[in-house]
Amino acid sequence: DAPGYTSIGVRGTDSVVFVTQKKVQDKLVIADSVTNMHALTPSIGAVFTGIAPDSKAWAQKARQLAAEFKYDNGFHIPVSYLAKKIADDSQVYTQYNAKRTLASYMILGGVDEEAGPQ
């Protein structure tokens, strides 16, 4: 992906909506295979803007955190807790010179059973 993409997340009273631009860089790439939106859990999604491999790595890490939380606790991870864990993990990349920070922005949203849309 290239700079200049626009992504927006909007929270309603009972829902969360993501909107993003879709630009296909090459005519040889199938347009349906390009996406910046990822479902992390059945009730949490994310939209990414930035370098595609970094976005996919971040989405995979978030899915892993959510799956581990459900396995350990027996219920789906709250949106706010997942956001905190992802932010903590992302911040660790800035502390060590051997790790490269992920060149991607994430907008995380979902609907919690207790807190509603976040």
Side-chain angles (χ1 to χ4, degrees):
D1 292 292
Y5 281 57
T6 302
S7 297
I8 299 171
V10 179
R11 180 181 67 166
T13 57
D14 61 348
S15 61
V16 176
V17 178
F18 296 123
V19 179
T20 187
Q21 287 179 305
K22 181 176 181 177
K23 294 182 183 177
V24 180
Q25 300 295 330
D26 193 352
K27 294 180 204 175
L28 299 176
V29 175
I30 299 171
D32 293 340
S33 69
V34 177
T35 183
N36 295 335
M37 290 193 235
H38 297 275
L40 305 178
T41 70
S43 61
I44 300 174
V47 62
F48 295 90
T49 303
I51 298 175
D54 287 352
S55 300
K56 290 179 183 179
W58 224 1
Q60 189 62 32
K61 179 67 175 175
R63 286 186 189 110
Q64 178 185 355
L65 289 170
E68 288 173 2
F69 183 90
K70 182 166 182 177
Y71 179 78
D72 292 341
N73 300 301
F75 59 94
H76 291 291
I77 190 168
V79 180
S80 59
Y81 187 73
L82 180 60
K84 182 183 179 330
K85 295 300 274 183
I86 291 170
D88 289 345
D89 193 48
S90 179
Q91 197 272 334
V92 167
Y93 283 94
T94 65
Q95 293 179 348
Y96 301 104
N97 59 359
K99 292 191 174 198
R100 180 181 68 84
T101 58
L102 297 175
S104 179
Y105 294 101
M106 174 196 289
I107 300 175
L108 184 69
V111 180
D112 275 344
E113 294 175 6
E114 296 177 2
Q118 296 185 1

